[in-house]
Amino acid sequence: MNDATERPPRGIRLLHALQKDPDWPSITAEELAVVSVKANRKAGSRLLRVVTGFPDRGATIAWQEVTLPDRVVGVRVYRPSSGGDAALPLVLHVHGGGFVGTASQCDWGNSHLAARLPAVVVSVEHRLLTEDTALADALDDAWDVLRHLVSHAAEWGIDPARIVVAGESTGGLIAALAAIRAKASGLRLRAQVLVNPAADLTATMHDYPSMAKYADSPTLNTPRLQLFHRLAVPPGTDPRTVSPLYADDLSDLAPALVVVPTLDPLADQGRRYAERLLESGTPARLSEHPGATHAFITMPGLVPQAKAARAEITEFLRNRLTEPQSAQGITTKARVR
């Protein structure tokens, strides 16, 4: 790989130079809460859309609430602006960030999917990681919202036979775990899209070459990953239960598109998960984007590769949602781009 593709895009480097990371190893719970609120307010602001991208005008966007038996979960809903009364496919989306992050940071990509597939995209404003909230809680939010939507498909205007899950980073990890749960519960998904996903939260999490090579990546570094791991897997938790790479059975899952930016400490985890899916007989496609950094698909204003990734995701989902369910089980080779 040449030097040009080994360097993050200029806009990412400039943004990183202008920002100062908190002291992640010593940050207190109170300080983390303040950081999270500020980061999410900025990520969801109209001003930052020069970075996060402008929503597709062919989609409407609105916050709604999903009332579950024991809690209420906020969701950001994207629908095509025009169309009839026919039930549409559902894209259950999970945003990234871990201990920060909000559904509105993904307006660019999700509004495009809603308008172009077309589909109803529901992005889950799941609980963020704290000293009292583990990854399992965020996973429950996504899974319980998905079950609610399937059970109330007519109310939401969705077709329960055409459902996919998608997510980035922590959201990609949650989407992968949701796909595993779906098979166990008998829910047939059409596809799963995992963008720069974490896949291994066990003791081997930092043993991948990309973890060492990109330890100081401007969009995800080792101190931040260490805090994420500490919050995601509290003492006494078996990390294999939230590590798709260590799932006992990955066969017969929904076909997967695994999108990997090459300048990412998590790149090798995504690659290995795509390999494991294929080894288990689950259709999987690996798509690599040279020169892109972690979280690149939420920053199209700074990372030009985001547009190509979005186009590929749209095409992949369109194909999966339109072909007969019986054709979903054909294993495909991993593809590197």
Side-chain angles (χ1 to χ4, degrees):
M1 195 172 289
N2 60 43
D3 290 339
T5 57
E6 284 293 322
R7 299 187 71 193
R10 181 178 300 175
I12 291 290
R13 286 182 274 129
L14 177 60
L15 186 65
H16 180 62
L18 294 174
Q19 293 186 141
K20 186 178 184 339
D21 254 5
D23 185 4
W24 298 120
S26 63
I27 194 168
T28 66
E30 293 76 15
E31 291 168 340
L32 182 59
V34 172
V35 167
S36 178
V37 170
K38 287 183 177 179
N40 289 349
R41 185 181 298 122
K42 181 187 294 185
S45 72
R46 291 181 178 273
L47 181 62
L48 203 69
R49 282 180 175 169
V50 295
V51 173
T52 60
F54 293 90
D56 193 302
R57 292 183 179 179
T60 63
I61 306 173
W63 285 107
Q64 292 183 226
E65 291 183 339
V66 172
T67 301
L68 302 172
D70 60 344
R71 65 196 184 282
V72 175
V73 178
V75 294
R76 195 155 172 86
V77 182
Y78 309 78
R79 295 180 181 273
S81 300
S82 59
D85 297 327
L88 294 172
L90 168 67
V91 178
L92 191 285
H93 173 265
V94 191
H95 68 77
F99 44 79
V100 299
T102 174
S104 55
Q105 72 193 30
C106 305
D107 282 354
W108 177 74
N110 284 340
S111 63
H112 181 91
L113 288 178
R116 306 298 173 183
L117 283 175
V120 177
V121 181
V122 177
S123 188
V124 182
E125 192 80 343
H126 59 79
R127 283 170 284 181
L128 298 176
L129 305 185
T130 68
E131 296 290 352
D132 301 314
T133 305
L135 184 66
D137 299 310
L139 171 59
D140 284 345
D141 285 344
W143 176 248
D144 291 345
V145 167
L146 176 58
R147 289 196 305 169
H148 176 91
L149 295 174
V150 173
S151 299
H152 299 80
E155 297 173 26
W156 286 81
I158 61 175
D159 178 358
R162 292 186 293 161
I163 298 174
V164 303
V165 294
E168 306 93 36
S169 190
T170 305
L173 168 59
I174 291 173
L177 293 169
I180 295 170
R181 278 194 183 184
K183 186 190 80 167
S185 71
L187 175 61
R188 298 294 298 180
L189 301 177
R190 287 296 187 99
Q192 53 180 315
V193 176
L194 316 175
V195 182
N196 44 251
D200 181 1
L201 298 188
T202 71
T204 63
M205 177 180 182
H206 293 278
D207 294 347
Y208 301 86
S210 62
M211 281 286 199
K213 188 172 184 179
Y214 302 111
D216 296 320
S217 168
T219 53
L220 182 65
N221 55 31
T222 295
R224 184 166 179 154
L225 278 168
Q226 289 172 335
L227 175 60
F228 166 74
H229 184 261
R230 179 171 66 80
L231 296 176
V233 190
T237 303
D238 181 356
R240 292 173 298 181
T241 62
V242 288
S243 299
L245 271 174
Y246 285 84
D248 293 332
D249 182 10
L250 294 177
S251 65
D252 199 31
L253 297 180
L257 173 62
V258 183
V259 179
V260 172
T262 59
L263 309 188
D264 182 1
L266 294 178
D268 285 336
Q269 289 197 24
R271 293 176 181 125
R272 180 61 190 132
Y273 191 57
E275 290 173 356
R276 270 223 63 200
L277 290 172
L278 285 167
E279 291 165 0
S280 301
T282 289
R285 179 194 302 173
L286 173 66
S287 177
E288 300 204 3
H289 292 263
T293 53
H294 187 82
F296 78 112
I297 203 163
T298 63
M299 296 181 287
L302 300 180
V303 188
Q305 295 92 327
K307 290 183 179 179
R310 186 188 69 178
E312 182 174 26
I313 291 168
T314 304
E315 178 189 12
F316 173 79
L317 290 181
R318 183 179 292 119
N319 290 338
R320 292 297 173 183
L321 289 168
T322 56
E323 69 181 9
Q325 184 82 18
S326 59
Q328 300 283 320
I330 301 173
T331 302
T332 59
K333 293 182 179 180
R335 184 183 76 178
V336 178
R337 62 176 294 169

